[in-house]
Amino acid sequence: MSQPKYDVAGLGNAIVDVLARADDAFLAEHGIMKDVMQLVDEPRALELTELAKDAVITSGGSGANTIAGISSFGGKAAYIGKISNDTLGHQFMREMMKAGVPFHTRPLEEGPATARSVIFVTEDGHRSMNTYLGASVLFTRDDVDPGLIRDSAILYLEGYLFDRDEAKEAFVYAAEVARAAGRKVAITLSDMFCVDRHRASFRHLVKGFSDIVFANEAELLSLYETDNFDEALRALQSESAIAAVTRSAKGSVVIGEGTPIIVPAEPVSEVVDTTGAGDQYAAGFLFGMARGLPLATCARLGHIAAGEVISHIGPRPATSYKSLAEAAGISA
């Protein structure tokens, strides 16, 4: 097996985020569900964009955020995702390149616009996401770069991409390429409602293709259709070699060989915006995995990254994760 060129290659929905402050009354007035991700059509996305006052517009997408975070740790990461040849698509490409992430997926020349997620952040730091998937889900097997996957130690698959059959086919094909090349496959369940829609497919991927699984508590309970956390954790441990389950302020539980490891969250002076917290936890964990660090250290890197990203508006690092890790006495 050849030495990988990249630590991680990510495959997911290429999205530009529109982030704005709002209160609970605003959410209720405009029919926005708090602290969840709702899929919306293009007219609704445009309507909400107009309502988003003093918005911060920045490249996002769960998997892309994770890949940008890995780069901030000093890792080598690449990304595969679908944009359109439009203003937001150009912004997404520029910002990935600025983060040091190669991104060469061919854009759409006609059809739906580049995906956007209009995110309203309330005073308690919770984010309510309204996502128009646009060009991002017009991702097919032809967009998968098998050479890039073979050149990466870990393939990271974003569960949000699962809403079209063509994208599912690309997902499975990418995992097969990685496995055939002797690489690790990681998957994030992304969202409880995403799990609800595609539970059978996710169970198939977790059991048959994944070496590393990321989930939060709600996603884990949905996957195994139970309200008992310990029961769901045991089920996941029976189906996955390595998994990390985040539990907000409670930290995370890491599954490997033997007894699950409980890792506390890092202290945060103020929670400003929880957008990207799970994405950046995955960034730290995957960076540690690619560098051969112990699972508990991987989780701590994840919490360091998550703690940084929730301290400011936006889903990507504002401070070098490499410098934060070094300050915490972790080097790789």
Side-chain angles (χ1 to χ4, degrees), residues 14-300:
I15 298 175
V16 175
D17 289 341
V18 180
L19 297 112
R21 293 284 193 181
D23 56 25
D24 289 341
F26 175 92
L27 301 183
E29 178 184 355
H30 296 287
I32 298 167
M33 293 177 63
K34 185 172 180 176
D35 205 28
V36 301
M37 192 280 287
Q38 289 179 281
L39 294 178
V40 300
D41 59 18
E42 188 168 12
R44 175 67 166 164
L46 293 172
E47 173 195 353
L48 293 176
T49 300
E50 288 296 317
L51 292 170
K53 302 303 180 185
D54 302 317
V56 173
I57 301 177
T58 182
S59 294
S62 175
N65 293 337
T66 296
I67 293 302
I70 291 166
S71 181
S72 184
F73 274 110
K76 294 182 178 179
Y79 185 70
I80 305 170
K82 200 73 171 179
I83 57 173
S84 193
N85 188 10
D86 57 17
T87 301
L88 290 183
H90 297 161
Q91 177 173 344
F92 184 92
M93 183 177 292
R94 284 196 309 271
E95 291 182 356
M96 291 303 283
M97 295 296 189
K98 185 178 178 181
V101 177
F103 174 62
H104 302 297
T105 311
R106 186 179 69 253
L108 286 179
E109 294 298 332
E110 55 184 34
T114 294
R116 73 177 69 185
S117 186
V118 188
I119 304 171
F120 294 99
V121 183
T122 45
E123 288 184 0
D124 55 10
H126 289 264
R127 81 285 185 274
S128 305
M129 305 168 67
N130 305 270
T131 304
Y132 165 62
L133 294 173
S136 69
V137 293
L138 297 182
F139 188 95
T140 70
R141 178 174 170 145
D142 291 340
D143 292 307
V144 174
D145 183 343
L148 180 62
I149 292 170
R150 295 187 192 104
D151 278 342
S152 304
I154 302 171
L155 170 67
Y156 180 62
L157 300 169
E158 176 194 323
Y160 279 132
L161 193 60
F162 242 53
D163 276 306
R164 288 182 76 251
D165 287 341
E166 293 88 345
K168 287 182 188 179
E169 181 186 355
F171 219 73
V172 173
Y173 171 60
E176 290 172 342
V177 170
R179 279 292 182 87
R183 307 310 190 191
K184 299 289 187 185
V185 177
I187 182 172
T188 174
L189 301 187
S190 293
D191 184 90
M192 180 181 70
F193 297 101
C194 193
V195 176
D196 289 343
R197 290 194 300 275
H198 307 293
R199 184 175 291 107
S201 295
F202 278 133
R203 288 288 301 273
H204 175 66
L205 277 170
V206 166
K207 193 170 184 178
F209 290 92
S210 303
D211 302 293
I212 308 161
V213 176
F214 293 96
N216 64 28
E217 185 169 354
E219 294 156 7
L220 177 66
L221 296 177
S222 175
L223 183 67
Y224 293 107
E225 298 182 273
T226 179
D227 58 3
N228 186 308
F229 179 79
D230 291 333
E231 178 184 315
L233 198 66
R234 286 192 295 270
L236 180 60
Q237 189 167 23
S238 72
E239 295 185 345
S240 178
I242 296 172
V245 182
T246 55
R247 307 186 77 186
S248 300
K250 295 179 182 178
S252 61
V253 181
V254 180
I255 292 170
E257 293 184 0
T259 305
I261 305 164
I262 299 173
V263 183
E266 292 290 306
V268 179
S269 58
E270 181 184 12
V271 177
V272 176
D273 172 17
T274 58
T275 308
D279 305 337
Q280 298 308 333
Y281 176 90
F285 197 99
L286 288 171
F287 173 74
M289 284 286 298
R291 299 304 172 93
L293 299 179
L295 292 180
T297 305
C298 294
R300 189 175 177 210

